[in-house]
Amino acid sequence: MTATATRPPDAAPPATGAKRAPKRERQGAAWVFLSPWVLGAAVLTLLPMAVSLYLSFTDYDMFDAPRWIGFRNYTQMFTEDPRYWRSVITTLTYVVIAVPLQLLLALTVAIALKSVKRGKGFYRSAFYAPSLLGASMSIALVWRAIFNDGGSVDNLLSGMGIDIGGWINKPGWAILSVALLTIWQFGAPMVIFLAGLQQIPVELYEAAAVDGASWWRQFRSITIPMLSPVLFFNLVLQMIQAFQVFTPAFAVSAGKGGPADSTLVYTLYLYDRGFTASHMGYASAMAWALLLAIGVVTAVLFRTSRAWVFYANDNNEGAR
């Protein structure tokens, strides 16, 4: 026979309200601290996005009231505007050139810095500096002078017997000069790669060396698989940034996208339609098309990452 504990009739009920009060207070304090971010996100991000979406269905020149025209901006953009498709092709060309070369250079420098014993902090800072400076208009203008007729690159190549002239004046070379400025800004992905390399267990390389694996085999079988999450992270970030490139193309072409629209990247044409031609409704439609395109590319990257990104759990078992 078991005895059960009973509460005396005059005993007070459990103070559930007293237990809930601290939780409510904590939630209230959390919302107080989050309120600046929530207010900023609503006023500076969500509200402008909603207005931009509305304007994309209107004819708006920033002077007169918006006039609703439905999907006219989108149909004109996709079917009647050849410069729009030239900007798309130019942007894709830029992305294909800039992103892989930037990541390759960042990974190469990160591997080299991993083996540096002295002055590692100095070299990290020196290689990271272009990422801080390269996005400025002043550096872009200096870049334009370097690749202009009679610039440093022209003089160097002429001295080697290669007479190309100024790259920014050649339709086939202008976009390459813009891409090189982005490739030069490899500091941020380099630091991320370096952090990932330092997390790879040294024991894996020691075991591979005992088995007679060459440097290339170790790189292919250990470094790349173990670094694949970091590589994927850098790829997504740099891809998104590359689709939104603006400053280098604007500076190199003086805001015109020339020569022959060879540097007319997507955002530069969006700027031209919105602020030069005062077709803000059309520019808003272009902005939303760019957002959807970046979303699709990002989704494809995440989908395909299952085939090549390796994640190691706490038990050192791989999971894809």
Side-chain angles (χ1 to χ4, degrees):
M1 183 175 181
T2 60
T4 57
T6 59
R7 181 172 55 86
D10 56 346
T16 57
K19 294 181 179 179
R20 292 195 186 98
K23 184 177 181 180
R24 293 196 190 100
E25 292 177 359
R26 290 195 299 269
Q27 290 178 346
W31 280 110
V32 169
F33 285 107
L34 286 174
S35 59
W37 182 90
V38 173
L39 182 62
V43 176
L44 301 178
T45 302
L46 298 180
L47 181 59
M49 287 181 65
V51 174
S52 173
L53 181 60
Y54 166 73
L55 292 178
S56 69
F57 297 102
T58 67
D59 180 13
Y60 179 51
D61 59 3
M62 297 189 294
F63 300 101
D64 301 320
R67 182 172 59 88
W68 183 268
I69 58 175
F71 288 93
R72 174 60 181 166
N73 287 326
Y74 292 94
T75 56
Q76 179 182 354
M77 184 169 58
F78 292 129
T79 62
E80 302 176 13
D81 190 353
R83 292 196 76 197
Y84 172 82
W85 289 110
R86 283 200 294 272
S87 70
V88 171
I89 295 173
T90 301
T91 303
L92 292 176
T93 303
Y94 167 84
V95 171
V96 170
I97 295 173
V99 174
L101 292 179
Q102 185 191 51
L103 294 181
L104 178 61
L105 182 59
L107 179 58
T108 302
V109 175
I111 293 175
L113 286 180
K114 183 186 176 184
S115 60
V116 173
K117 302 301 181 182
R118 301 180 60 182
K120 183 177 294 187
F122 169 77
Y123 289 115
R124 288 180 184 177
S125 302
F127 285 116
Y128 185 76
S131 294
L132 300 176
L133 303 175
S136 65
M137 179 61 73
S138 58
I139 296 297
L141 292 175
V142 171
W143 205 261
R144 178 184 178 183
I146 292 174
F147 286 91
N148 206 343
D149 289 328
S152 302
V153 174
D154 185 18
N155 294 333
L156 177 63
L157 293 178
S158 298
M160 299 171 59
I162 304 175
D163 190 10
I164 297 177
W167 288 23
I168 65 173
N169 299 317
K170 306 290 183 181
W173 293 86
I175 191 63
L176 181 58
S177 65
V178 176
L180 286 176
L181 179 55
T182 298
I183 296 169
W184 179 64
Q185 303 171 47
F186 65 90
M190 178 210 67
V191 171
I192 298 174
F193 276 136
L194 186 58
L197 288 170
Q198 293 173 343
Q199 299 302 316
I200 301 177
V202 181
E203 294 79 6
L204 297 178
Y205 294 104
E206 294 175 347
V210 171
D211 292 338
S214 63
W215 178 88
W216 173 249
R217 183 58 185 269
Q218 294 179 30
F219 177 77
R220 185 167 56 90
S221 301
I222 298 176
T223 304
I224 293 299
M226 297 297 292
L227 201 62
S228 57
V230 178
L231 178 61
F232 174 66
F233 177 78
N234 272 333
L235 177 62
V236 172
L237 286 186
Q238 300 308 316
M239 189 76 70
I240 293 174
Q241 292 180 10
F243 275 104
Q244 302 176 74
V245 62
F246 174 78
T247 303
F250 183 88
V252 167
S253 66
K256 304 298 182 181
D261 288 344
S262 59
T263 59
L264 186 68
V265 294
Y266 195 97
T267 54
L268 183 57
Y269 187 50
L270 188 155
Y271 172 86
D272 176 76
R273 292 293 86 197
F275 294 97
T276 303
S278 297
H279 293 165
M280 189 57 67
Y282 190 86
S284 298
M286 288 186 62
W288 278 94
L290 177 61
L291 175 64
L292 293 177
I294 292 176
V296 169
V297 172
T298 304
V300 171
L301 290 176
F302 272 92
R303 183 68 177 178
T304 57
S305 67
R306 301 177 182 179
W308 61 275
V309 178
F310 174 85
Y311 296 99
N313 58 20
D314 295 336
N315 296 323
N316 294 327
E317 295 176 355
R320 291 189 183 276

